[in-house]
Amino acid sequence: MPHTPARWWQHSVVYQVYPRSFCDSNGDGIGDIPGIASKLGHLQALGVDVVWLSPVYASPDDDNGYDISDYRAIAPQFGTMADFDALLAALHARGMRLVMDLVVNHTSDEHAWFQQARQSRDNPFHAFYIWAEPVDGGPPTNWASIFGGSAWEWNAATGEYFLHSFSRRQPDLNWEQPAVRQEVHAVMRFWLDKGVDGFRMDVINLVSKTWGPDGRLPNAPVTRPGFLQNGFSLTANGPRLLEFLREMRQVVLRHHDCITVGECPGITPDLARAITDADTGALDMVFQFDHMDLDSQPGQSKWQLKPLDLRDLKRSLSTWQQALADTGWNSLYFGNHDQPRVVSRFGDDGPWREASAKMLATCLHGLRGTPYVYQGDELGMTNYPFDHIGQCRDIETLNMVRDAMAQRGGDPTAVAADLMAAVRAKGRDNARTPMQWTAGPQAGFSSGTPWLAVHPNHTTINAEAALADAGSVFHHHRQLIALRRSEPALVHGRYALLWPDHATVFGYTRTLGAVQLLVVCNFSAQPVDLPLDTLDLAGAAVLSANWPLPLGLDALCHGGALHLRPYEALLLRLATG
Ligand code: GLC
Ligand code: CA
């Protein structure tokens, strides 16, 4: 049993809404807050407890709202503050909570602080950002921006460079300055005082940079001579990270009953445990990325594709399950607005789409931690068949293709096939195509022209059809979400991996006292006979299944093996005693 009483977010399921792509109420092609408010019935039918809203703040939209120009204002394209207040009240009235995205590693270059900061070195806001003198007439370090090019941009008015880990329109804040941290705390209080229920903190482990002994940011180790280098080792997990987060807890968070999740690329299990330690840490959970990197070539960019080896996924998730078993807490996710669609990535978006989408949901919801469902994943939405770059909108994708083509030379309009293949597999726009509500025009998302094309498969994959079909991916998710409430072992049970070396089956147990749950997932289109060894399925209760079992579980067991059909997933409560 846990040594501290369960907090509400430990038995909650979070649903992520990407506002631009959820529901457009006024036909301008962009999803908005009134649109979200009109779809709360869908969320309630699914049974989620918490809604995480990607940014709806004022923004020039260089990175779809992750570049904020006013932390206390709603972007006009999304609606008004009154619309926001109404959404919050409506969610609360339905017993759901609301989590805001907090994007404070950087601001927009249009934020008033940066507008001031860039004017002169004497400006009081100058110290809010990270500046450095040129070195040899060029950028101060060899760091690459995550969105391509140098991480440093020249500012003529002050004769210096400023740091931007992401686009040049997203200057990094300098968290070494107490005034910056106080402003962030004030922003958090502003939203908490309105009644929001917590924060998802964007790239929060980037806020403490690793400064050199001379007070400057050093060069990153050179792994590819002549190229810009990944500065992650110096921008992520810096020496003051835990201190900054604990301060946040101390001065703001502990005064509110809220949920916090820190997005932490490159975080280690040890640091995550320290951050999520209920007694001495700061946040309730983090988003780690290890399992999102397994289908890229090791040490290379996400665009260098590699087929997933299921054993890697099992090893990775098990490491995290174990690392946070006694102290800390896991978040559980397979998708979000930055990742491709999970059914296309780890499942099969062809003939086995429904079975594999349900299998993936079972695998995720069976683990210990707080599950996050990304909008559309409850329908088994798929990657988009992008065949030319003109169909893409995401700055990361567009910059990658531009830079790669420039390096290769030749016709910049003719994007090479290998790059488009990478975009189809990994591009963030895959997750951002409009939510598929109906089989009708624009999938019922908008009466106008959507900002990003609707997937042609909305004629069959859509919420209306899914709700009407008791065997749909949606209802499978709904049942899994409901199980979390009725099965304490699903929340608290200890995790143990079974068949670690099996190439296509992911199986594990969750044990709480005398109750033992078994999750078995076939990650392949090939049927498999799984040796049961000492496991006894006699008398087991089927809590979730994605294939019909007209003759019961016994019909799947013969000769000491469990027969699994393509992408079959079972969640069982084993008989005790
Ligand atoms: C996070 C967001 C991503 C954004 C980046 C910069 O990774 O999830 O969408 O581009 O931070 O803010
Ligand atoms: Ca709109």
Side-chain angles (χ1 to χ4, degrees):
M1 289 297 282
H3 60 279
T4 41
R7 304 280 315 276
W8 56 266
W9 40 263
Q10 293 185 311
H11 45 82
S12 296
V13 175
V14 183
Y15 184 93
Q16 181 189 356
V17 168
Y18 193 67
R20 240 183 134 69
S21 306
F22 197 62
C23 181
D24 171 21
S25 71
N26 62 354
D28 67 355
I30 299 175
D32 46 52
I33 294 173
I36 299 168
S38 74
K39 295 294 187 186
L40 298 190
H42 177 83
L43 305 183
Q44 203 164 26
L46 187 57
V48 296
D49 308 273
V50 182
V51 174
W52 149 29
L53 213 54
S54 275
V56 288
Y57 312 99
S59 163
D61 267 338
D62 191 47
D63 184 20
N64 283 5
Y66 282 90
D67 48 318
I68 296 171
S69 52
D70 184 345
Y71 289 107
R72 291 179 177 80
I74 300 292
Q77 66 188 8
F78 290 141
T80 63
M81 191 59 91
D83 293 330
F84 174 83
D85 292 339
L87 173 64
L88 179 60
L91 279 164
H92 285 168
R94 289 177 185 254
M96 290 183 273
R97 311 202 203 210
L98 181 65
V99 162
M100 298 297 274
D101 221 304
L102 184 73
V103 188
V104 288
N105 171 68
H106 44 268
T107 67
S108 160
D109 64 345
E110 292 187 23
H111 194 288
W113 300 337
F114 191 72
Q115 294 292 314
Q116 293 275 322
R118 72 182 322 167
Q119 285 171 17
S120 82
R121 296 189 185 201
D122 305 329
N123 190 288
F125 288 98
H126 185 262
F128 269 43
Y129 294 87
I130 298 176
W131 303 93
E133 307 288 335
V135 170
D136 300 331
T141 74
N142 59 1
W143 300 0
S145 145
I146 291 163
F147 291 162
S150 170
W152 296 96
E153 182 74 5
W154 180 247
N155 183 53
T158 58
E160 307 157 290
Y161 285 88
F162 64 86
L163 178 69
H164 58 91
S165 295
F166 295 88
S167 99
R168 67 183 53 147
R169 305 209 47 201
Q170 293 168 294
D172 282 46
L173 284 164
N174 185 359
W175 277 59
E176 303 294 328
Q177 292 294 323
V180 166
R181 306 201 299 275
Q182 283 155 16
E183 287 288 352
V184 168
H185 301 157
V187 165
M188 293 171 73
R189 274 192 217 99
F190 172 84
W191 291 99
L192 289 166
D193 289 346
K194 268 191 171 290
V196 311
D197 303 288
F199 298 103
R200 174 269 186 188
M201 303 180 182
D202 192 67
V203 290
I204 199 68
N205 66 324
L206 265 52
V207 298
S208 164
K209 270 70 174 173
T210 302
W211 303 80
D214 58 358
R216 297 180 195 194
L217 290 168
N219 275 320
V222 175
T223 52
R224 248 183 116 197
F227 285 87
L228 290 167
Q229 305 298 316
N230 182 339
F232 236 54
S233 58
L234 301 158
T235 53
N237 307 332
R240 298 186 71 188
L241 175 60
L242 202 51
E243 173 199 336
F244 291 158
L245 295 179
R246 282 182 180 143
E247 178 188 58
M248 218 179 214
R249 177 184 182 175
Q250 186 62 23
V251 305
V252 184
L253 297 170
R254 77 185 169 95
H255 305 291
H256 298 266
D257 176 25
C258 58
I259 170 175
T260 52
V261 52
E263 189 207 21
C264 295
I267 195 143
T268 62
D270 285 343
L271 187 51
R273 193 189 307 113
I275 290 175
T276 62
D277 185 317
D279 301 319
T280 59
L283 306 181
D284 299 327
M285 57 198 123
V286 303
F287 289 133
Q288 57 86 15
F289 281 72
D290 290 350
H291 65 306
M292 293 286 108
D293 296 334
L294 302 174
D295 55 357
S296 309
Q297 298 293 342
Q300 310 245 342
S301 87
K302 75 180 212 179
W303 307 105
Q304 310 298 314
L305 309 179
K306 167 181 179 292
L308 174 77
D309 183 331
L310 180 67
R311 285 164 291 206
D312 292 338
L313 183 67
K314 293 195 283 187
R315 206 174 299 125
S316 172
L317 290 174
S318 299
T319 298
W320 281 89
Q321 289 286 298
Q322 266 134 25
L324 303 184
D326 298 315
T327 302
W329 189 252
N330 269 296
S331 71
L332 308 170
Y333 75 97
F334 277 157
N336 60 39
H337 65 293
D338 294 328
Q339 302 294 336
R341 287 288 178 183
V342 64
V343 69
S344 302
R345 187 182 195 179
F346 294 160
D348 171 67
D349 61 10
W352 301 111
R353 184 188 66 86
E354 293 200 70
S356 67
K358 292 176 194 172
M359 181 280 289
L360 289 161
T362 308
C363 183
L364 189 80
H365 286 255
L367 294 168
R368 186 164 182 273
T370 298
Y372 288 72
V373 179
Y374 179 63
Q375 72 181 40
D377 281 351
E378 80 277 26
L379 307 177
M381 278 177 62
T382 66
N383 281 354
Y384 188 92
F386 295 109
D387 54 23
H388 62 92
I389 196 65
Q391 296 166 319
C392 298
R393 296 287 175 274
D394 175 29
I395 182 170
E396 183 191 40
T397 294
L398 299 178
N399 287 1
M400 180 280 286
V401 166
R402 184 198 61 206
D403 294 353
M405 292 309 290
Q407 261 172 38
R408 292 177 189 186
D411 176 3
T413 55
V415 173
D418 64 318
L419 295 179
M420 276 320 293
V423 167
R424 268 194 301 280
K426 289 290 187 69
R428 303 195 297 181
D429 284 325
N430 281 305
R432 301 176 179 186
T433 63
M435 179 76 177
Q436 294 167 202
W437 295 107
T438 70
Q442 309 300 4
F445 162 74
S446 172
S447 59
T449 306
W451 69 278
L452 182 66
V454 167
H455 199 301
N457 66 16
H458 72 275
T459 50
T460 49
I461 305 172
N462 62 73
E464 194 172 55
L467 263 91
D469 171 6
S472 67
V473 177
F474 177 91
H475 287 294
H476 189 83
H477 271 86
R478 183 179 59 68
Q479 284 155 8
L480 288 168
I481 292 166
L483 263 184
R484 195 154 280 268
R485 277 191 204 99
S486 56
E487 271 300 329
L490 209 49
V491 179
H492 298 294
R494 184 160 280 275
Y495 168 92
L497 179 67
L498 304 175
W499 307 284
D501 299 322
H502 200 290
T504 56
V505 172
F506 193 165
Y508 55 87
T509 51
R510 301 285 314 282
T511 309
L512 182 69
V515 178
Q516 186 159 56
L517 307 179
L518 173 68
V519 177
V520 193
C521 297
N522 180 5
F523 270 70
S524 123
Q526 304 307 316
V528 56
D529 285 307
L530 190 66
L532 283 171
D533 305 324
T534 56
L535 270 178
D536 185 3
L537 303 194
V542 179
L543 302 185
S544 169
N546 66 343
W547 273 84
L549 290 166
L551 304 175
L553 207 50
D554 290 350
L556 294 183
C557 299
H558 20 83
L562 174 65
H563 181 75
L564 294 173
R565 293 162 281 186
Y567 292 103
E568 183 151 21
L570 294 166
L571 199 170
L572 311 176
R573 193 195 308 109
L574 301 181
T576 48

